[in-house]
Amino acid sequence: MADLPALGIPDEGRLSHNILHFARALRKAGLPVGPGRAIDAIRAVEAAGFTDRADFHHTLAACFVSRPEHRAVFDQVFRLYWRDPRFLEHMMSLMLPALRGVAEERRARPAERRAAEALLDAVPSDRPDPETGEEIEIDAKGTQSARDRLKSLDFEQMSPAEAAEAKRMLAGLRLPVAPLISRRSRADRLGRLPDWRGTMRAALRAGGEMRDFSTKNRRRRWPDLVVLCDISGSMSQYSRMVLHFLHAVSNAKGAGWARVHAFTFGTRLTNITRHLATRDVDAALAAAGAEAPDWEGGTRIGAALHAFNRDWSRRVLGTGAVVLVITDGLDRDETDILAREIERLHLSARRLIWINPLLRWNGFAPKARGIRAMLPHVDCFRAGHSIRSLEELAKAVSEARDTGERDRMLAAMRHSGPI
């Protein structure tokens, strides 16, 4: 906090109320702050005093910050709420710059935009005093319908406010997967397979007398998830949302995946796996955007798949990984290269799922050469244009027989014949 100007702290005579509003802003920004921590913060400030700005900052940080990745969000919210008397003007200015790729044209600090949005939501409004006896009627009939509408709304048609709410909803999505049954086994007293070696070893320890019969079961292991995401100009808006969803899957506890590997491609292939390991989503996507200079550029799907098959296939697909390819299939390369590389990827993966936003249109037909080259070599073909479509992706991952729209599209290809 040493680099911030020494501005005055708001003095309204309602310090406890201000701390509560500050705690609500932290919670909206993603920190696990509950009523207990807010009460502890009020008591801590009461004990430590309110005479020095640095002491006040460290006192609140000791109560609200429990992880290193929470520090950036806390510092931004603290600066805007407590130290800048014009924080509303500053926050509104943060909403104006346009996005380019995953990073912003204005190099904001990690979590700065999220802190601004949280504080705008946390500004207290004028409400009737409950002691006056005035009744307040709340009409919540449209709340659920609005949420359902947002789930079905196309990512490209969302307003900035709807996109921000969609990102918060994507942060709570999970992509569960069933474990794989390995050929290896392990000792299990309730197992169904006989363990002859274990039985003989136990008999040798007992002087050759067989006192017990050992059993075993097959080991279970979790598969890897590999995601290849198209970040070309026609896919940029969808890619941002998919990367938010992918960040949530990468950092989810108990989701089942052994490891999650992420790659972006436009005119070149970029590995962003280590960036998505960052807990803060803003810092993770900013680093991923800086790593991928071909954002909103052209599309060379065949060349990108060739680079993946050559450099990464044996590293990340050796244990039977599930592969997600997110692209519209509009390729500029020769279709022969694309068909050969997607076939090789299909043979190397345990299951290959293609997510195509163009499938949202009722009149969609596989007429583009890139789509016709890729479609015969995928196990499942699904849309990926909304929150609901990403929720339904769990069915395609967990059920091996799920093919989505692949069979119908293949039938349409056979009916239309060659282009």
Side-chain angles (χ1 to χ4, degrees):
M1 304 298 292
D3 59 333
L4 299 177
L7 300 175
I9 299 177
D11 185 11
E12 302 177 3
R14 301 178 63 186
L15 181 59
S16 61
H17 292 77
N18 290 332
I19 294 177
L20 289 177
H21 287 303
F22 176 64
R24 293 173 186 171
L26 291 176
R27 184 175 182 85
K28 286 181 176 295
L31 270 65
V33 176
R37 290 199 178 189
I39 295 174
D40 292 341
I42 295 174
R43 292 176 178 174
V45 172
E46 182 181 2
F50 191 67
T51 57
D52 185 78
R53 295 185 180 91
D55 291 344
F56 181 62
H57 170 265
H58 294 306
T59 300
L60 293 182
C63 298
F64 293 129
V65 177
S66 57
R67 291 180 176 271
E69 58 268 17
H70 296 165
R71 174 67 65 174
V73 180
F74 175 85
D75 288 343
Q76 294 297 338
V77 178
F78 184 90
R79 179 177 68 87
L80 294 174
Y81 191 87
W82 295 102
R83 304 197 62 174
D84 193 344
R86 297 180 301 276
F87 70 94
L88 280 177
E89 298 177 5
H90 181 70
M91 286 187 290
M92 290 303 297
S93 67
L94 291 180
M95 303 302 173
L96 297 179
L99 295 177
R100 174 174 294 177
V102 198
E104 302 174 357
E105 291 185 354
R106 176 189 179 277
R107 293 283 184 176
R109 296 180 181 180
E112 192 172 25
R113 179 179 295 273
R114 185 145 50 97
E117 293 173 350
L119 270 179
L120 284 174
D121 292 339
V123 172
S125 58
D126 297 331
R127 299 178 181 177
D129 189 356
E131 296 181 358
T132 61
E134 182 179 353
E135 295 184 359
I136 302 175
E137 296 183 0
I138 299 176
D139 186 8
K141 291 184 295 183
T143 304
Q144 188 63 32
S145 60
R147 190 176 182 88
D148 292 339
R149 172 185 172 276
L150 185 60
K151 283 187 175 182
S152 303
L153 188 62
D154 194 308
F155 289 141
E156 202 171 36
Q157 299 175 355
M158 289 183 177
S159 65
E162 291 172 336
E165 179 62 25
K167 290 175 183 178
R168 285 192 285 269
M169 295 174 65
L170 289 174
L173 294 185
R174 297 295 179 263
L175 194 61
V177 63
L180 303 177
I181 306 300
S182 174
R183 290 178 294 179
R184 297 180 179 272
S185 59
R186 60 182 178 86
D188 189 350
R189 297 186 63 181
L190 301 178
R192 298 184 177 183
L193 301 177
D195 186 2
W196 302 113
R197 293 184 179 181
T199 302
M200 297 304 298
R201 284 195 297 267
L204 291 175
R205 288 193 295 266
E209 181 179 356
M210 186 178 298
R211 298 179 178 179
D212 195 9
F213 183 75
S214 302
T215 57
K216 59 184 179 180
N217 259 338
R218 297 290 185 186
R219 291 181 180 270
R220 292 190 175 187
R221 63 178 181 86
W222 301 99
D224 292 346
L225 177 65
V226 178
V227 181
L228 301 172
C229 185
D230 187 348
I231 57 173
S232 61
S234 59
M235 286 287 298
S236 60
Q237 184 63 27
Y238 301 101
S239 301
R240 295 188 189 101
M241 293 299 184
V242 169
L243 289 177
H244 271 270
F245 170 64
L246 184 58
H247 179 271
V249 174
S250 301
N251 293 275
K253 295 182 179 179
W257 299 102
R259 287 167 296 182
V260 178
H261 304 275
F263 299 84
T264 61
F265 66 89
T267 56
R268 51 173 289 187
L269 183 73
T270 305
N271 186 0
I272 62 169
T273 302
R274 62 186 181 92
H275 300 305
L276 292 185
T278 305
R279 290 298 183 94
D280 187 89
V281 62
D282 296 318
L285 296 189
E291 187 78 12
D294 55 340
W295 189 277
E296 293 189 353
T299 310
R300 299 184 61 196
I301 306 176
L305 293 182
H306 174 72
F308 177 82
N309 291 331
R310 181 192 61 200
D311 300 331
W312 294 99
S313 178
R314 292 188 178 183
R315 304 185 193 183
V316 300
L317 300 181
T319 58
V322 176
V323 179
L324 299 181
V325 178
I326 298 99
T327 180
D328 52 12
L330 304 180
D331 192 16
R332 295 183 178 181
D333 285 340
E334 294 294 334
T335 56
D336 295 340
I337 300 176
L338 178 58
R340 182 172 65 251
E341 297 300 333
I342 192 68
E343 181 182 10
R344 179 180 173 184
L345 179 62
H346 184 213
L347 295 175
S348 302
R350 181 177 185 86
R351 184 166 169 78
L352 180 57
I353 302 174
W354 183 7
I355 308 299
N356 191 335
L358 297 181
L359 196 56
R360 70 188 185 276
W361 305 112
N362 294 329
F364 173 81
K367 297 181 179 180
R369 293 181 179 273
I371 297 177
R372 297 172 70 93
M374 294 178 61
L375 196 56
H377 305 290
V378 300
D379 298 309
C380 182
F381 187 48
R382 282 187 168 271
H385 62 287
S386 63
I387 298 176
R388 192 175 303 279
S389 63
L390 293 181
E391 288 179 341
E392 295 174 353
L393 181 60
K395 178 181 178 182
V397 172
S398 58
E399 297 183 10
R401 296 183 179 180
D402 182 80
T403 60
E405 299 293 326
R406 187 201 63 179
D407 296 338
R408 185 171 67 88
M409 293 294 108
L410 288 176
M413 283 177 52
R414 291 191 292 267
H415 180 73
S416 61
I419 297 179

